[in-house]
Amino acid sequence: MAILFQGADKALGKDEVGLSEAAWQLLHASEGEWVTISHPPAVTSMGFVRSRIFGTTLEAAAFDSIVQDVVAGRYSDVQLAAFLTAGSALPLTDDETVALTSAMARAGEQLGWNRDVIDKHSVGGLPGNRTTPIVVAIAAAAGLTIPKTSSRAITSPAGTADAMETVTRVDLDIDAIRRVVDAEGGCLAWGGALNLSPADDIFIGVERQLDIDPEGQLIASVLSKKIAAGIQKLVLDIPVGPTAKVRSAAAGQRLAMRMRDVASHFGLETVTVISDGSQPVGRAIGPALEMRDVLAVLRCDTNAPIDLRLRALAVAAAVLELGGAAAPERGTARAEELLISGAAYQKFEKICLAQGGFREPIVASLKRVLTSDRSGRVTEIDNRKIARIAKFAGAPGDAGAGLLLDVHIGDEVSAGQPMMTLYADTPSELAYAMNYAESVDLAISLAP
Amino acid sequence: MAILFQGADKALGKDEVGLSEAAWQLLHASEGEWVTISHPPAVTSMGFVRSRIFGTTLEAAAFDSIVQDVVAGRYSDVQLAAFLTAGSALPLTDDETVALTSAMARAGEQLGWNRDVIDKHSVGGLPGNRTTPIVVAIAAAAGLTIPKTSSRAITSPAGTADAMETVTRVDLDIDAIRRVVDAEGGCLAWGGALNLSPADDIFIGVERQLDIDPEGQLIASVLSKKIAAGIQKLVLDIPVGPTAKVRSAAAGQRLAMRMRDVASHFGLETVTVISDGSQPVGRAIGPALEMRDVLAVLRCDTNAPIDLRLRALAVAAAVLELGGAAAPERGTARAEELLISGAAYQKFEKICLAQGGFREPIVASLKRVLTSDRSGRVTEIDNRKIARIAKFAGAPGDAGAGLLLDVHIGDEVSAGQPMMTLYADTPSELAYAMNYAESVDLAISLAP
């Protein structure tokens, strides 16, 4: 499937076509060969999309056929936008969400494990919420099997895969993942090369352009990847806050219930943890900076961010209890024990070594401090604006770039006091991020 | 606004950019100049589109801001698809339809006339329904002012502008149109160069890709162009049939009522004519072939298609009555009089001469007859499949290509009898169309 350009110049003679480098390789073409070009066949499943747009609820077979066509690359972005918008304007029913999840889970690779495996997932939208490496280290140290694969950042300044890449190798194939998990009980790899629920990545690309994330598709997105990865038990962290992905406690409870219901159709036992998403977690935003916070928690450093430590322990407790490595109500104590004893940090190092080695994360060499222009008490921190400042500084492309927050909600600030420290690889990026941070309206709100 | 490609080869040095020919001209750039490249500003009106997706009804100011951004080229096709899909899944209210129509009408050129002007429009979807040249000739001959601009074919095998172009020049600018209308009372020009309701053309491009045509947008599309063109009175032909754009009498009545209601907000007096859309009109499909049918009606030839003649007279009658050129109930008689006396044909010739000359339409030189493989009575003719056969034969790009239908609904056909005659410029197009016509399931249905 390709775009055909018609040229009016003399580069091609009559009945001649030129191919792109990619097409030469894909077709194994050779100079002088005959090619036949035709329109792609009409995408028959678009008929289902059109019915859905005009209010018809779809059967499972319709979702199968839509997802298969999407994965085969037969949908244009315009058609994908219509499908996703229809599912936002007229939300997917529970049955439709199960059907879409099932179709997406079966449309790519599907992994199997010879023992029970557990996983954790965060719905996201909260900068600095890098609990995953800590939770995986604790769970694997407790003897559970947790083959964790993560994505790189899509719209955020860092994904878990980006952060882990600052200390070890993450682009493992399925054989390498099995080897690491067999040896250490867990891994912290990038999931992008595994082709699990490939429709998800295609949908996300268009959702990002529209800046919409409809609930039915969000559920299918998260669960189809877990089902395809062969997970049996899942702890789901749902941060709730005015600038997080989930905006109210009611919406969080509702999403948690729908997630558990849909997951149960696939024998995926799910526990949800609703957490505070009102401000960034820890101090650091950006791959290497966040990894430094993670290591501080794992090493029980005295300057480790207390909120990151507590959030990681809460999720780890749920994982240990759900996985049977701790009795009910005993998860937190057991998780803390594994952290304080150094067992979790040792396990983390071993996982890194099994994945290809361990190195300390390197933060960017240039930094600049943003100070407050007045006095007051911090009342709100806008997750989205903070994330954008870190991105303008170069994160996640420049793994060492980002920012450190110097204040949290409730802090008293006086004029001239540091609010955040920006890190960047180049003076121009530093200036760009600083300029945005200074001009942006109320990334950090102060009340007199 | 442009797409930025990053290249890895040696064609460009560090801090060098290459421009496309179009960009060179647009920017009046010269070799060695400094260019600054930045992301386009976020399209703020997409916030309204997102609210609309999630069920909020929009105010007039929101539609103004969306349409202005669309016309300025700030919407990607993906964003346009989301806007159009949202208006299909959650149909536009009456107030929203008025607001969208108003925003679209004001977003481009707006014409004014120093006298009352009238127009006709057909909702379309019916191959061969080429009444416009006949209606304009009759109305202008009756002394009305009818500055008719038409589109070229978008998804059909011929638009009125394509058909008219086989006998005269149609790409007139606004001054030429005024000159022709001042002299002859009417014109039959292409509207594409006038920038009337430019948002419409942008929306239609995406609707075509999705094959959707939501009612609210259809109303805004038709009426915004008429309002921008300064029309005060409008006759609207709505063909209804199982394979026409409007599928049922109820849907036709409903659309007619909504059209009249919305039009009345703009002081546009509208009369609707619901007509039979169960099969193609006349015999011919394709620009030159249809024009030959039109000329046969205007010249009162004995072989003129009777159905095309009757439909044109019905619409012309409504135009004469609405425009005050005939008393109520007397429109048909007056229209027939102008046709039979030759006054309409003389007016048509004069309009063509004023537009740049008149020539006879030239049909394609190659033809092939498709015969029936069995006997039976014609029960249905699929407008869409017939249109596709004509398009595969080369219409409208090849103005002489298309087909002539040899049968209509109700005709008795015996095996081996001609069903249609295909016309094409090249043997390969003739074979391609013939192959599709032979393989297509029931473009013409026969009952034993």
Side-chain angles (χ1 to χ4, degrees):
Chain A
M1 205 88 69
I3 294 171
L4 180 68
F5 293 93
Q6 284 185 283
D9 62 13
K10 302 276 178 290
L12 294 169
K14 194 167 153 61
D15 285 334
E16 275 188 350
V17 294
L19 299 178
S20 66
E21 285 300 322
W24 275 115
Q25 286 166 21
L26 207 67
L27 299 172
H28 305 290
S30 58
E31 196 75 48
E33 256 187 296
W34 275 97
V35 294
T36 306
I37 292 164
S38 61
H39 284 101
V43 183
T44 52
S45 67
M46 262 305 287
F48 296 123
V49 174
R50 272 189 293 274
S51 324
R52 187 71 182 57
I53 291 173
F54 291 104
T56 310
T57 303
L58 298 184
E59 303 289 323
F63 283 105
D64 284 348
S65 129
I66 291 168
V67 168
Q68 279 159 25
D69 281 339
V70 166
V71 170
R74 297 192 192 106
Y75 271 57
S76 69
D77 279 2
V78 162
Q79 292 170 323
L80 290 166
F83 175 68
L84 296 167
T85 303
S88 307
L90 303 169
L92 298 187
T93 66
D94 289 345
D95 285 348
E96 285 186 318
T97 306
V98 169
L100 176 60
T101 305
S102 171
M104 287 171 68
R106 286 179 286 108
E109 284 296 320
Q110 290 172 265
L111 305 185
W113 300 90
N114 56 9
R115 77 208 93 154
D116 258 23
V117 293
I118 197 165
D119 202 354
K120 64 82 62 179
H121 184 85
S122 176
V123 165
L126 205 53
N129 192 17
R130 198 58 54 218
T131 57
T132 298
I134 306 168
V135 173
V136 168
I138 292 173
L144 297 179
T145 302
I146 184 162
K148 179 70 193 158
T149 59
S150 306
S151 56
R152 294 188 195 277
I154 299 171
T155 57
S156 71
T160 294
D162 301 302
M164 282 303 301
E165 201 167 35
T166 67
V167 296
T168 188
R169 197 179 146 184
V170 296
D171 59 331
L172 309 185
D173 61 19
I174 184 61
D175 290 340
I177 287 177
R178 284 192 191 281
R179 190 176 42 69
V180 173
V181 173
D182 283 347
E184 301 301 339
C187 68
L188 282 154
W190 175 53
L194 305 184
N195 198 35
L196 300 172
S197 189
D200 185 41
D201 303 327
I202 298 171
F203 288 144
I204 285 176
V206 174
E207 284 169 1
R208 182 172 47 156
Q209 289 179 61
L210 294 175
D211 200 4
I212 60 170
D213 200 352
E215 191 177 271
Q217 267 103 335
L218 170 65
I219 294 170
S221 164
V222 171
L223 296 183
S224 65
K225 276 220 148 70
K226 302 302 172 193
I227 294 159
I231 306 299
Q232 285 99 27
K233 294 176 176 183
L234 177 64
V235 173
L236 195 65
D237 174 30
I238 303 179
V240 172
T243 56
K245 188 173 279 185
V246 178
R247 302 292 176 98
S248 72
Q253 293 294 355
R254 190 184 125 87
L255 177 62
M257 202 187 66
R258 289 197 71 192
M259 280 277 193
R260 288 195 303 266
D261 283 354
V262 173
S264 71
H265 276 86
F266 301 91
L268 177 61
E269 196 180 343
T270 300
V271 165
T272 47
V273 178
I274 307 268
S275 63
D276 174 19
S278 58
Q279 59 183 326
V281 179
R283 292 184 63 201
I285 323 289
L289 290 160
E290 291 179 27
M291 208 59 214
R292 231 171 40 172
D293 269 6
V294 165
L295 290 172
V297 171
L298 282 168
R299 287 165 177 162
C300 301
D301 288 352
T302 47
N303 69 345
I306 190 80
D307 56 342
L308 178 64
R309 185 176 192 274
L310 288 176
R311 293 180 76 99
L313 285 174
V315 176
V319 169
L320 296 185
E321 291 174 17
L322 178 63
E329 310 290 324
R330 296 290 305 145
T332 307
R334 180 74 183 120
E336 200 156 17
E337 201 176 285
L338 290 163
L339 197 58
I340 292 171
S341 70
Y345 180 65
Q346 282 164 33
K347 178 54 80 178
F348 179 80
E349 270 201 328
K350 283 188 183 168
I351 289 172
C352 289
L353 292 173
Q355 289 191 188
F358 174 81
R359 61 176 176 275
E360 292 293 328
I362 299 166
V363 305
S365 52
L366 303 178
K367 61 180 175 177
R368 242 166 92 182
V369 175
L370 179 78
T371 54
S372 181
D373 59 357
R374 65 210 132 125
S375 300
R377 196 172 48 80
V378 177
T379 53
E380 266 181 67
I381 300 182
D382 189 315
N383 290 315
R384 293 172 175 235
K385 289 174 181 167
I386 293 291
R388 204 168 297 150
I389 296 170
K391 284 159 76 176
F392 286 171
D398 301 335
L403 62 88
L404 286 184
L405 274 175
D406 291 306
V407 296
H408 278 90
I409 291 176
D411 289 355
E412 294 288 342
V413 176
S414 47
Q417 190 180 318
M419 301 274 271
M420 65 181 85
T421 309
L422 275 53
Y423 288 76
D425 281 352
T426 66
S428 69
E429 282 167 311
L430 195 61
Y432 188 43
M434 195 68 183
N435 186 38
Y436 176 74
E438 281 170 342
S439 71
V440 66
D441 194 28
L442 302 175
I444 299 175
S445 308
L446 295 181
Chain B
M1 205 89 68
I3 294 171
L4 181 68
F5 293 94
Q6 284 185 282
D9 63 13
K10 301 277 179 289
L12 293 169
K14 193 167 154 58
D15 286 335
E16 274 187 349
V17 295
L19 299 179
S20 66
E21 285 300 321
W24 275 115
Q25 286 166 19
L26 209 65
L27 300 172
H28 304 290
S30 56
E31 197 76 47
E33 255 187 295
W34 275 96
V35 294
T36 306
I37 292 163
S38 62
H39 284 100
V43 183
T44 52
S45 67
M46 262 306 286
F48 296 123
V49 174
R50 273 190 292 276
S51 324
R52 188 70 183 58
I53 291 173
F54 291 103
T56 310
T57 303
L58 299 185
E59 303 290 323
F63 283 106
D64 283 347
S65 129
I66 291 169
V67 168
Q68 279 159 24
D69 280 339
V70 166
V71 170
R74 299 193 190 104
Y75 272 57
S76 68
D77 279 3
V78 161
Q79 292 170 324
L80 290 166
F83 175 68
L84 296 168
T85 302
S88 308
L90 303 169
L92 299 187
T93 65
D94 289 344
D95 284 348
E96 286 185 319
T97 306
V98 169
L100 176 60
T101 305
S102 171
M104 287 170 69
R106 285 180 287 109
E109 285 296 321
Q110 291 172 264
L111 305 185
W113 300 91
N114 56 8
R115 76 207 98 157
D116 257 25
V117 293
I118 196 164
D119 202 356
K120 63 82 64 178
H121 184 86
S122 176
V123 165
L126 204 54
N129 192 18
R130 197 59 52 218
T131 57
T132 299
I134 305 167
V135 173
V136 168
I138 293 173
L144 297 178
T145 302
I146 184 161
K148 178 71 191 159
T149 60
S150 306
S151 56
R152 293 187 196 276
I154 299 170
T155 58
S156 72
T160 293
D162 302 303
M164 282 303 300
E165 201 167 36
T166 67
V167 296
T168 189
R169 200 181 144 184
V170 298
D171 59 331
L172 309 185
D173 61 19
I174 183 60
D175 290 339
I177 287 176
R178 284 193 192 278
R179 191 178 38 73
V180 173
V181 173
D182 283 345
E184 302 300 339
C187 69
L188 282 153
W190 173 54
L194 304 185
N195 198 36
L196 300 172
S197 188
D200 185 41
D201 303 327
I202 299 171
F203 289 144
I204 284 175
V206 174
E207 283 169 1
R208 179 172 52 157
Q209 289 179 61
L210 295 174
D211 200 3
I212 59 172
D213 199 352
E215 191 176 273
Q217 268 102 336
L218 169 64
I219 293 169
S221 163
V222 170
L223 295 183
S224 65
K225 276 218 149 72
K226 301 303 172 194
I227 294 159
I231 306 298
Q232 284 100 25
K233 295 178 176 183
L234 177 66
V235 172
L236 195 66
D237 173 29
I238 305 179
V240 172
T243 55
K245 187 173 277 184
V246 177
R247 304 291 175 98
S248 72
Q253 293 294 354
R254 189 184 127 87
L255 177 62
M257 201 187 66
R258 289 197 70 193
M259 281 277 193
R260 287 195 303 264
D261 282 354
V262 173
S264 71
H265 276 86
F266 300 92
L268 177 59
E269 196 182 342
T270 301
V271 165
T272 48
V273 177
I274 307 266
S275 62
D276 175 19
S278 58
Q279 60 182 326
V281 178
R283 293 183 62 201
I285 324 289
L289 290 159
E290 291 179 27
M291 209 58 216
R292 231 171 40 173
D293 270 7
V294 164
L295 291 173
V297 171
L298 282 168
R299 288 166 177 162
C300 301
D301 287 352
T302 49
N303 69 346
I306 189 81
D307 56 343
L308 177 63
R309 185 177 193 275
L310 289 175
R311 293 180 76 99
L313 285 174
V315 176
V319 168
L320 296 186
E321 291 174 16
L322 179 63
E329 309 290 325
R330 296 291 304 147
T332 307
R334 178 77 182 119
E336 201 158 15
E337 201 175 283
L338 290 162
L339 197 58
I340 291 172
S341 70
Y345 180 64
Q346 282 164 29
K347 179 54 80 177
F348 179 80
E349 268 199 330
K350 282 187 184 167
I351 289 172
C352 289
L353 292 173
Q355 289 190 188
F358 173 81
R359 61 177 176 273
E360 291 293 325
I362 298 166
V363 305
S365 52
L366 303 177
K367 60 180 176 176
R368 244 167 91 184
V369 173
L370 178 78
T371 55
S372 180
D373 58 358
R374 65 209 132 120
S375 301
R377 195 170 50 80
V378 177
T379 54
E380 266 180 67
I381 301 181
D382 189 314
N383 290 316
R384 291 170 178 239
K385 288 174 182 167
I386 293 291
R388 205 168 297 150
I389 296 169
K391 283 159 75 175
F392 286 172
D398 300 336
L403 62 88
L404 285 184
L405 275 175
D406 292 306
V407 295
H408 277 90
I409 291 176
D411 289 356
E412 294 288 343
V413 175
S414 48
Q417 189 180 319
M419 302 273 271
M420 64 182 84
T421 309
L422 275 52
Y423 288 77
D425 282 350
T426 67
S428 69
E429 283 168 311
L430 194 61
Y432 188 44
M434 195 69 184
N435 185 38
Y436 176 75
E438 281 170 346
S439 71
V440 66
D441 195 27
L442 303 175
I444 299 175
S445 307
L446 296 181

